[in-house]
Amino acid sequence: MDSTIYKSVSTRRSLKYNYFFSAPAAGKPVLLFVHGFPSTSYDWRYQVTFFKEKGYGLIVPDMLGYGGTDKPTDAVDYKLGLIAQDLVDILDAEKINKAIAVGHDWGSVVVSRLANYFPDRFIAFAFLAVGYSPPSIIKFAESYAKASEIAGRELFGYWHFFAEDGAPELIEKNIDSFYSLVLPDDPKVWISDLTPRGACKAWIEGNKKTKLASYLPENEIERQKTEILKGGLTGPVNYYRTKVFDLDLEDVQGIRHISTTFNSRRLIR
C-alpha cells in the first residue's frame, strides 16, 4: 500500500488516526476495513489492490494503538463505543455519508458497535473470523465461565494474561515466542498453550517456540513483528483489558436502548 496515499485526522476526542484513503469511482461505494490483533492497515493490502482496481472507495485505518495512529496507554480510551465514534469521525472528514464496514478479529467487534450505534451510516456489515458481537451486560468472569462450560474447555485464558501488568513488556521481550504461539503451524498448540488460563504466560515467560504457520511467508510475519514493536503492545492489549475489567459495560447498557437489531440482509457473513 502506497504510504503517500495515507492521511491523518484528529477525531473529536483529539486522537490522531492514520489511514489509507482512495476515493470511489462514480457510483461505487466506500469500503471501511477494520483490522484486528495483532495487525495494522497493511494486512488489508490484497483487498485494497483488488477493490481499488474495481473503483471502490477505500478507508483503511491503523486502529487505535497500532501503526501510525495514536497509542494512548489508558485502557478506558479503548472502549469500543469510543472507537466506533472515531471511525465515524474519519467518514465525516472524508465527507462519506454511508459506507460498507468490513471487520476482522477485534475489528469485527468494532464493526458490531458501528452497527449498533451508527446503523444509518452504513450500507452493510461484513465480519471475518469473528462474527457479529451483540451487546451484552454480562460481566467477563461470568461469560468466561459460561463459554468454558459450553465448550468443555477454556477458550480465552490468554485474555487474563494480556490484562496483567507487565504483559506488554514480556511479549515485546520474547516477541518470537509470542508470534510462534499466535501463528503456529499446528493449531492444536492453541488448545494446549494459548487458551488455558496461565498457559500463554508460561509459554512466553519460558521463551518457548514452535514452527510458524506455513500459510504465511516468513518475511510477512517479520514485517508484522517490526510494525507491532515500533508502537509496543500496550495499546493492542488494551482492547482485551476493556473486556476483562468490564470497562465498557456502561456503554453496552446504553446500546441496548439505541439499536440492538437491524436488517439481517445488511449482514454479510
Side-chain angles (χ1 to χ4, degrees):
M1 291 161 65
D2 187 351
S3 61
T4 64
I5 309 179
Y6 273 76
K7 303 175 72 172
S8 66
V9 68
S10 181
T11 66
R12 66 185 62 195
R13 56 184 180 135
S14 300
L15 291 172
K16 187 200 79 172
Y17 271 73
N18 183 58
Y19 62 99
F20 177 92
F21 177 73
S22 180
K28 290 288 188 178
V30 171
L31 303 175
L32 170 66
F33 285 104
V34 186
H35 72 75
F37 172 95
S39 190
T40 66
S41 59
Y42 177 79
D43 282 8
W44 293 110
R45 62 198 177 283
Y46 298 115
Q47 289 75 22
V48 165
T49 299
F50 179 85
F51 286 107
K52 189 173 185 294
E53 289 176 351
K54 295 183 180 299
Y56 288 87
L58 297 160
I59 295 177
V60 192
D62 288 328
M63 293 301 290
L64 192 67
Y66 292 91
T69 292
D70 281 349
K71 303 167 184 64
T73 57
D74 192 337
V76 172
D77 290 320
Y78 292 78
K79 290 182 179 181
L80 298 185
L82 297 176
I83 293 176
Q85 179 64 69
D86 292 341
L87 297 182
V88 170
D89 288 347
I90 297 175
L91 296 183
D92 290 342
E94 295 298 342
K95 298 181 171 53
I96 304 298
N97 184 43
K98 289 180 180 288
I100 297 170
V102 183
H104 173 255
D105 187 66
W106 269 101
S108 291
V109 188
V110 174
V111 168
S112 299
R113 295 300 160 260
L114 289 173
N116 296 136
Y117 277 113
F118 306 101
D120 295 337
R121 297 298 301 271
F122 293 91
I123 301 165
F125 308 93
F127 305 89
L128 307 178
V130 174
Y132 168 70
S133 177
S136 172
I137 58 173
I138 300 173
K139 291 186 176 181
F140 177 75
E142 183 180 346
S143 62
Y144 182 92
K146 188 64 176 177
S148 300
E149 178 186 347
I150 293 171
R153 63 180 180 86
E154 291 179 288
L155 299 176
F156 305 109
Y158 62 100
W159 288 37
H160 291 281
F161 166 57
F162 288 173
E164 288 183 14
D165 290 338
E169 292 79 10
L170 179 58
I171 295 171
E172 291 162 17
K173 176 184 175 183
N174 294 336
I175 192 69
D176 291 339
S177 173
F178 168 74
Y179 264 91
S180 75
L181 179 58
V182 173
L183 297 173
D185 193 55
D186 180 1
K188 292 180 181 177
V189 170
W190 285 2
I191 296 175
S192 60
D193 293 287
L194 180 69
T195 60
R197 190 166 181 173
C200 176
K201 182 177 182 178
W203 177 283
I204 298 173
E205 276 187 328
N207 202 23
K208 292 179 64 177
K209 300 181 184 71
T210 188
K211 182 181 177 183
L212 287 166
S214 55
Y215 57 82
L216 281 175
E218 188 173 344
N219 65 309
E220 293 286 350
I221 297 175
E222 289 302 318
R223 188 188 192 284
Q224 190 180 87
K225 284 183 197 175
T226 300
E227 289 300 312
I228 292 297
L229 285 174
K230 282 181 183 177
L233 269 292
T234 298
V237 300
N238 272 335
Y239 288 82
Y240 294 90
R241 287 171 170 166
T242 63
K243 293 295 185 182
V244 174
F245 299 141
D246 299 318
L247 299 180
D248 61 348
L249 284 189
E250 184 177 349
D251 290 347
V252 171
Q253 288 173 338
I255 290 174
R256 294 171 67 85
H257 299 292
I258 297 172
S259 173
T260 56
T261 60
F262 41 88
N263 190 333
S264 61
R265 287 177 296 178
R266 297 169 64 195
L267 285 173
I268 305 172
R269 297 180 186 272

